[in-house]
Amino acid sequence: MQIVDEILKIKKVKNTAVRTVVLRHLLSQEKAQSLKDIENALVYTDRSSIFRTLKTFENNKIIHSIEDGSGMIKYAVCVKGCNCDPKDLHYHFYCNNCDKTFCLFDVPFQNIELPENFKIQQANMVVKGLCNNCNK
Amino acid sequence: MQIVDEILKIKKVKNTAVRTVVLRHLLSQEKAQSLKDIENALVYTDRSSIFRTLKTFENNKIIHSIEDGSGMIKYAVCVKGCNCDPKDLHYHFYCNNCDKTFCLFDVPFQNIELPENFKIQQANMVVKGLCNNCNK
DNA sequence: TAATCTTTGCAATCGAGTTGCACCATATGG
DNA sequence: CCATATGGTGCAACTCGATTGCAAAGATTA
Ligand SMILES: [Mn+2]
Ligand SMILES: [Mn+2]
Ligand SMILES: [Zn+2]
Ligand SMILES: [Zn+2]
């Protein structure tokens, strides 16, 4: 995989065996992944290694985390150019039926007019309901 | 407290000792409370009783829960007339400095235009940053 | 090569949330 | 007024995702 090396290079994160497989896995999935999801997929890689890899990725803006209320933090790869700034904010969708969480990159994100003196730094926006597959 | 009885009556939830103190506590706080917060405040009330009380309140739309990413679910009393429907949605603010979470009832909430066939049922919207007290 | 720093695997621990169960309080019906 | 049913409460145990200590393995540097 070319793209994995490219992302790590851009974000100045050293490439290692675990990092490669974790990032490759994340890129291959359409839904945001929990630590458990990744652990199940990468049977030969230790949970704590995956955990620390995810922290490293998150600290270096390679991925972002989503608290969808499922009890497990989900992770998704940032789009090219993302710096996890307020301007990079987007909604997420959690399907109550199929338990899938994903980024809604195409849904326009409205600026939020906070009260005087409030400063936004990040946000966790999760819309819950039925996805297009389950709403039938 | 008159208001406590009134709320329980409106929502058709039987009044008990634990329910009274929990609801009174929630009403008295400006920030959303975690189970731990309530446990600490109500030293003589058992954690599991508070927990079940919160579930009862939530099921009966007396309170709503907020997943703010702090690792603990927060609870806040619903405003009068709230049915926890999508129309009752509002933003929440989590202060990264003072660790306080609260409802932004006054910030206008924009309708979200979801992709074709997606159906919204609930949402968890948390803006994170610095509150007016901490942004100085 | 030797010293140093980083990554990894394993096992243990933490802590919020949840549950089983026995006891207690209240409500109801005779 | 007591007998019984229903639901609430307290205690202790447990679940499970997240996190950490530590030593071994690997990579980097002098
Ligand atoms: Mn996302
Ligand atoms: Mn709220
Ligand atoms: Zn679905
Ligand atoms: Zn603050």
Side-chain angles (χ1 to χ4, degrees):
Chain A
M1 271 282 180
Q2 184 97 1
I3 186 92
V4 166
D5 299 325
E6 194 182 314
I7 294 173
L8 292 173
K9 195 178 167 192
I10 290 172
K11 299 299 173 80
K12 297 190 176 62
V13 172
K14 203 201 299 179
N15 200 341
T16 70
V18 174
R19 288 172 189 173
T20 299
V21 288
V22 170
L23 184 50
R24 185 180 303 165
H25 174 76
L26 286 172
L27 285 165
S28 74
Q29 300 297 310
E30 57 165 9
K31 67 167 184 174
Q33 299 283 293
S34 68
L35 175 55
K36 178 61 132 302
D37 288 336
I38 305 171
E39 202 187 334
N40 289 341
L42 309 178
V43 260
Y44 298 116
T45 308
D46 184 71
R47 182 181 355 130
S48 66
S49 300
I50 300 170
F51 171 78
R52 284 185 271 231
T53 295
L54 291 171
K55 290 293 166 205
T56 300
F57 284 176
E58 196 176 10
N59 291 336
N60 290 280
K61 319 285 177 68
I62 292 173
I63 62 175
H64 60 278
S65 60
I66 308 152
E67 294 134 12
D68 62 8
S70 68
M72 286 182 279
I73 300 168
K74 304 291 173 65
Y75 299 91
V77 181
C78 291
V79 291
K80 199 163 188 170
C82 170
N83 274 304
C84 297
D85 292 325
K87 69 163 181 52
D88 296 312
L89 281 181
H90 54 268
Y91 294 109
H92 295 97
F93 194 88
Y94 173 79
C95 179
N96 288 318
N97 182 250
C98 68
D99 198 50
K100 209 157 85 175
T101 298
F102 45 88
C103 304
L104 295 177
F105 289 120
D106 294 336
V107 176
F109 188 85
Q110 341 266 17
N111 243 24
I112 301 160
E113 288 176 35
L114 293 175
E116 190 81 19
N117 284 325
F118 279 67
K119 190 189 175 194
I120 182 171
Q121 292 176 329
Q122 314 92 31
N124 183 59
M125 303 292 188
V126 182
V127 180
K128 305 179 187 192
L130 297 175
C131 75
N132 52 348
N133 273 315
C134 297
N135 184 26
K136 280 171 182 166
Chain B
M1 271 286 179
Q2 184 96 2
I3 185 91
V4 166
D5 299 325
E6 195 183 313
I7 294 173
L8 292 173
K9 195 177 166 190
I10 291 172
K11 299 298 172 81
K12 298 189 176 62
V13 172
K14 204 203 296 180
N15 200 341
T16 70
V18 174
R19 286 172 190 173
T20 298
V21 290
V22 170
L23 185 48
R24 185 180 301 164
H25 174 76
L26 287 171
L27 285 165
S28 74
Q29 300 297 310
E30 57 165 10
K31 67 168 186 175
Q33 300 282 293
S34 67
L35 175 56
K36 180 59 135 300
D37 289 335
I38 305 171
E39 203 186 334
N40 290 340
L42 309 178
V43 260
Y44 299 116
T45 308
D46 185 70
R47 182 182 357 130
S48 65
S49 300
I50 300 171
F51 171 77
R52 285 185 271 230
T53 295
L54 291 171
K55 289 295 167 203
T56 301
F57 285 177
E58 196 176 10
N59 290 337
N60 289 280
K61 320 285 177 66
I62 292 173
I63 62 175
H64 60 278
S65 61
I66 308 152
E67 294 135 10
D68 64 6
S70 68
M72 285 181 279
I73 299 168
K74 304 291 174 64
Y75 298 90
V77 181
C78 291
V79 290
K80 200 163 185 169
C82 169
N83 274 304
C84 297
D85 292 325
K87 69 163 180 52
D88 297 312
L89 280 180
H90 53 267
Y91 293 110
H92 295 96
F93 193 87
Y94 173 78
C95 180
N96 288 319
N97 184 250
C98 67
D99 198 48
K100 208 157 85 175
T101 298
F102 44 89
C103 303
L104 295 178
F105 289 119
D106 294 334
V107 176
F109 188 85
Q110 341 265 16
N111 244 23
I112 301 158
E113 288 177 35
L114 294 175
E116 188 82 15
N117 284 324
F118 280 67
K119 190 189 174 192
I120 182 172
Q121 292 175 330
Q122 314 93 32
N124 182 62
M125 302 292 187
V126 182
V127 179
K128 306 180 188 191
L130 297 175
C131 75
N132 52 350
N133 273 315
C134 297
N135 184 26
K136 280 170 182 166

